[in-house]
Amino acid sequence: MGKSRARRFRRAPFSPAGPEQCRDEWEGGPEEEPAAELLEKLQHPSAELREYACASISKLLQQKHVIPAFLQRDVVRCLGPLLMDHSLAVRETAAGALRNLSACGGFEVCDDMVTKDIMTPLVALLKECSTGLDANQASPKKCREVNKSYIEDIANEAINLLWNVCECNNTAVHIFNKEGCLEAVLHCMKKFSTNVDLAISVANCLQAVTEDNPDLLPSFNAFAQQILETMMLCPESTMKHILLRTLIAGTVWNIKDTIPPGSLGSMVNTILKIFSESLAIDAGEMIIRMNEAERNRLKLAAEAETEENMSDVIDNCVSEDDVMEEIPKEKVRRENDISDLLPFDKWELKEVTALLTAQQTALEIIVNMCCSEDPSDDEWEELSSSDESDLFMENSYNEGGGLVMSPLCLSEEVNSAFLNNLIPKKILEKTAFPNTVALDICMHNASWKPLIKKLNAVQCRALTCLHSILLVSDMDCLGGASALQSLAQHLSQLVFSNMELPTNTEFLEAITSALRALLQTMASKNISQCMTPEQLFALCEAGIHSSNTTVRVNVVSILGISGSILAKGQDTAETLKMIGKFLLEVAMKESSLVVAGEALDALFDVFADGKEAEKAAVQIKLLPALKEFQPVFKMRIRKEGKGQYSTDQLCVLDNVKMNLRRFIAYQETLGKTPT
């Protein structure tokens, strides 16, 4: 029903659970104690036992089906006070357990945590951590080394917990604003040069709390902005630092209203440079290199361990006269030892994960830029006159005369100053399928297998980004007819390159949205379409059975756009008949009124004009079918509309209903009524 709309991305709802991800399946063993007993140990006088109980609870809470048992025993109120325990180790493990509860429990659990006042001890802990980081600098060197790790690790767990609850609860965000938490978390970020993981946690939290939060903007004074600027300009080139810069760039975009007009152009181009840096890296090649590095490291470690064991055997050799002592086969672990709950060092995997997260985040922010508010004329003047606008002219054109686009994938409101620039080809490269060698590595390595989902997510975000660009840029900016046709061939190859059509819902939504926007642009300029009728119907048949409403809307719209082009051609009546029958069936049988309305809208476009369309309409008896369906559609809107659809959707459906009446009248004037 008209042009498709740009999609706005929300932040990822939760920070990851601690050392391991949330799991649905049970992986427990006989050593894991029941919830009641562990919660009781939280009150034990021994700090070591409290720490052990917190760590055990933290591990159990990563298994989702265990969470209800802990919630029934008020785990939040049991763990909350331990955030201020006199033992730093207990504070850290308690914060980690609450972090896992918030990450694996979901929105309802986070709401419950805020209701049970988790924010009071959490805010107090954050402020103490902020103060402790300063006080630690003044401590004697030995004491400083002991406390440094604890305080920063506590802060890391606490900030991830804060991120989770603020992401899904407005009360938590209000408390964040009111209690001045911004100063405390920014203080933690100043440790980025020695603790990039802590800085990344802060950056994630900041990007979440600054989104659609105008009440927080006055808190971003010159000191706060200076810290963010320092982060954005840090020169380190590790993947974690690239992720840090990307997240900070997203935060700066969220608070752009606080940036002085004279600095806005420089700020936007700095953000673009950061995104360009992230997207320029080939994630597939990075996976191959990092996996090889991991294998070499493990090989060297195994060889070193073998040599050490041989040395121990020689050193421990004794004569037959010596007394032989029995050596246990397994290492005896102290009852309260929690070392086995801590993650192993997998820096190679962490680097790849950081890169993929940075790329996905960059693409999501670019998409959101396409939906941004109207800038003032002063802002446009600053943007268009900035000396730094040349930063993205490098590598702007594909060697073969590729797609020409704006470097900043902005909406109509934020696009005009960049019409003569180009979107980096890196975004288009990200729409391709992941490297097959990299996928094979991930498939055969359990710890690397989650990267497959991240690789696919980057591809889908790139397609969504492309969709937004196509909606807001004119044909000249896009590179003309030949560039659009090349892009159409590229998208078609993504759909039809395999024997079977893709079934992944997220990919289908992204690819059909991009195709729909592209075909709309091409149709408006009378550019020939890219898909054969066979491909067109194959895509529509696959998409119309998707559980995703957006996918069904997209394929119906694609069929309508293609049909309207065919209606202007010669000898296309047979294909138009197939299109008409397909769209009629969707309109009459589709459960969603939104999809049914889109199908009617597509019918209006296909059969609006042209001799071939008139011939096909008569043969499929389009007019009597629509006249019979008209009262049914009106009744469905009246009965199903209220409560099931938004006000905007109802307005569009009312418009379709009116257009249906007009289309029937128009067909009747053409003498299409069968005799």
Side-chain angles (χ1 to χ4, degrees), residues 1-2 40 50 83 113-114 119 169 281 296 344 385 408 440 527 576 585 615 655:
M1 294 178 282
E40 184 180 350
R50 293 197 303 276
L83 293 178
M113 294 175 77
V114 175
M119 290 297 291
N169 187 280
I281 301 171
N296 290 337
F344 293 101
S385 62
L408 187 58
D440 188 63
I527 301 173
L576 292 174
E585 184 175 5
K615 186 191 305 182
N655 191 49

Side-chain angles (χ1 to χ4, degrees), residues 600-641:
L600 287 172
D601 222 21
L603 279 168
F604 306 155
D605 291 338
V606 174
F607 295 96
D609 193 20
K611 294 296 183 181
E612 294 297 307
E614 292 178 13
K615 186 191 305 182
V618 171
Q619 293 178 2
I620 65 172
K621 300 180 180 178
L622 177 63
L623 181 58
L626 290 178
K627 292 176 71 174
E628 183 180 351
F629 179 64
Q630 185 181 23
V632 177
F633 186 65
K634 291 171 62 177
M635 181 181 65
R636 283 194 64 187
I637 294 176
R638 187 168 59 251
K639 286 187 175 182
E640 302 173 25

Side-chain angles (χ1 to χ4, degrees), residues 529 531-533 536-537 559-573 575-576 579 606 609-610 612-613:
Q529 301 294 294
M531 289 188 289
T532 66
L536 184 64
F537 282 107
L559 196 58
I561 295 166
S562 299
S564 66
I565 296 295
L566 290 171
K568 300 174 184 178
Q570 300 293 324
D571 300 322
T572 58
T575 303
L576 292 174
I579 292 175
V606 174
D609 193 20
E612 294 297 307

Side-chain angles (χ1 to χ4, degrees), residues 193-206:
S193 60
T194 57
N195 193 336
V196 67
D197 290 325
L198 176 58
I200 288 173
S201 295
V202 174
N204 272 307
C205 184
L206 283 178

Side-chain angles (χ1 to χ4, degrees), residues 1-6 467 471 512-514 516-518 520 554 557:
M1 294 178 282
K3 287 187 70 176
S4 58
R5 300 178 63 181
H467 165 235
L471 289 179
T512 56
S513 295
R516 177 185 180 182
L518 175 61
Q520 284 173 336
N554 284 340
S557 177

